[in-house]
Amino acid sequence: MNVSNATPTAASPSVNTPPATTSSAVQPHAIALLRVSLGVMALAHGLLKVFVFTLPGTVGYFESLGLPGFLAYLTILGELGGGLALILGIYTRWISLAMIPLLLGATSIHLSNGWMFSNEGGGWEFPLFWSVALLVQAGLGGGSFILNRRFR
């Protein structure tokens, strides 16, 4: 048999295909890494608003943008609660979807600042990327290391 003319079959996978056991064993952990990273980022942003900018300062900032002050509290609650839920793996798909409007709101606030988040006032690429990552997380689910399988 000429090896160059051989076609891969189920018994002989192609050279570029990793073994199914490797990818299927690693994938839940990769999904969990994304989930926990998103949760830590959300928690950090919520805590930043509470301890650095302070509640009155965050409310004032939202009002300076023409937004109602109560949205600052809802945003903080969404970031803190959503971040903790993601870290613990509680209702990952729903929490990820629920957080997307927060990040799209942040994206819209930063649109006039330009593309890069290092611009004065922060750009819009980071909150938009974060929105996309949350959408991906919602599609992937919780992965491994979740608090309880019932909460997937």
Side-chain angles (χ1 to χ4, degrees):
M1 176 171 143
N2 184 347
V3 177
S4 64
N5 292 333
T7 57
T9 64
S12 63
S14 74
V15 176
N16 295 328
T17 305
T21 55
T22 303
S23 62
S24 62
V26 174
Q27 188 176 26
H29 303 309
I31 293 169
L33 180 61
L34 175 63
R35 185 195 79 231
V36 171
S37 298
L38 289 168
V40 167
M41 290 298 297
L43 191 60
H45 276 257
L47 292 173
L48 178 74
K49 288 174 179 66
V50 172
F51 293 114
V52 176
F53 301 140
T54 72
L55 291 175
T58 303
V59 169
Y61 176 70
F62 273 60
E63 290 174 340
S64 77
L65 297 171
L67 298 169
F70 77 89
L71 285 180
Y73 294 106
L74 292 178
T75 300
I76 292 168
L77 181 64
E79 289 175 342
L80 294 177
L84 284 173
L86 287 175
I87 290 168
L88 297 173
I90 299 173
Y91 299 115
T92 301
R93 292 180 194 271
W94 293 109
I95 296 297
S96 296
L97 290 173
M99 292 181 71
I100 291 173
L102 292 176
L103 276 301
L104 291 178
T107 302
S108 69
I109 295 300
H110 292 283
L111 276 176
S112 63
N113 300 336
W115 166 251
M116 294 303 294
F117 211 69
S118 59
N119 290 346
E120 186 176 335
W124 55 270
E125 97 287 353
F126 179 68
L128 182 63
F129 173 78
W130 197 351
S131 301
V132 171
L134 284 166
L135 184 61
V136 169
Q137 186 71 63
L140 294 173
S144 60
F145 306 113
I146 60 175
L147 184 65
N148 187 324
R149 284 295 203 212
R150 198 171 115 219
F151 295 131
R152 290 193 292 169

